Amino acid sequence: LRASEAALEIVDEQLAVYERAIAEKAIEVQQARAVEDEQLQRYRRRVRATEEEGSYSVLFLLLQAQSMGEFLAAIDDVADIMQSDKALERQYRAAREESERVMGEFEALRDECREQQEALQKERDEIEKLLKEAESVLDSLEDEIEAAMDDYRAAQEAEAAAEDGGENETAP
């Protein structure tokens, strides 16, 4: 019985470990989604700003150049802005991919944990069934022992009565 109870405790601990792992991975998913959302908002703000300013600001920047050096500097500035925009897009895509990766891990872990939890629950149910059967056998044995003890006491009383009765007959 103690071994079965210990096995139940182990099963319960394993179930708790799986539940904690799922909860931790769910938090990781939330964090990854938050990063993705933040990157998406930054990207959208930049796209909106670009649409509002349009190509006029780039053209205006280039046309304001008074010399070839200023024109080349303006081209470098435009190239820097374009690189910054591309970097922002890459950061968003990387955040989205990370979010998808973490979500995939979460789903795989959740599915694996569910399978393990189902198996552990079956094991737990089987152990509980065995414990009930063992308790039933013990109760039955206790009843048999009690009945045997009652028979033994009755036999002792009968024997004592027979001895007392035999002594009374021999005594004049």
Side-chain angles (χ1 to χ4, degrees):
L1 288 178
R2 288 183 188 147
S4 296
E5 290 171 353
L8 278 178
E9 287 178 18
I10 290 170
V11 167
D12 289 341
E13 288 174 14
Q14 289 174 333
L15 287 170
V17 166
Y18 286 125
E19 289 172 8
R20 282 192 303 272
I22 289 172
E24 289 172 3
K25 193 54 93 168
I27 290 169
E28 192 176 332
V29 166
Q30 289 173 346
Q31 291 170 341
R33 283 189 175 161
V35 169
E36 176 186 359
D37 288 344
E38 180 183 332
Q39 290 295 331
L40 179 60
Q41 293 308 315
R42 288 177 64 200
Y43 180 71
R44 285 180 178 169
R45 281 192 302 270
R46 180 63 191 133
V47 168
R48 190 176 312 118
T50 302
E51 287 175 354
E52 289 173 1
E53 292 176 15
S55 59
Y56 297 114
S57 63
V58 173
L59 185 58
F60 181 73
L61 181 66
L62 293 174
L63 292 177
Q64 276 194 346
Q66 300 295 320
S67 68
M68 185 57 107
E70 286 180 10
F71 184 76
L72 292 175
I75 288 177
D76 283 344
D77 290 344
V78 169
D80 289 344
I81 291 170
M82 291 176 68
Q83 286 179 348
S84 174
D85 289 349
K86 287 184 181 188
L88 192 59
E89 181 182 6
R90 279 192 305 273
Q91 290 170 348
Y92 165 66
R93 287 180 191 225
R96 187 182 72 217
E97 289 171 2
E98 176 65 9
S99 178
E100 290 172 358
R101 182 191 66 77
V102 170
M103 186 62 182
E105 288 177 358
F106 170 75
E107 290 172 351
L109 176 66
R110 184 190 60 207
D111 293 344
E112 178 185 338
C113 287
R114 282 185 182 160
E115 290 174 11
Q116 292 296 324
Q117 285 174 324
E118 288 172 7
L120 289 170
Q121 189 60 45
K122 285 179 184 178
E123 184 179 340
R124 187 178 204 292
D125 293 344
E126 184 64 28
I127 291 170
E128 286 178 346
K129 179 183 172 188
L130 291 173
L131 278 173
K132 286 180 183 176
E133 289 174 2
E135 287 174 2
S136 176
V137 168
L138 285 175
D139 289 343
S140 175
L141 287 174
E142 286 176 357
D143 292 343
E144 288 178 21
I145 289 170
E146 188 66 34
M149 290 298 291
D150 289 344
D151 290 345
Y152 178 73
R153 282 188 217 108
Q156 280 185 328
E157 289 173 6
E159 187 178 311
E163 287 178 10
D164 286 343
E167 289 178 12
N168 287 342
E169 290 179 16
T170 53

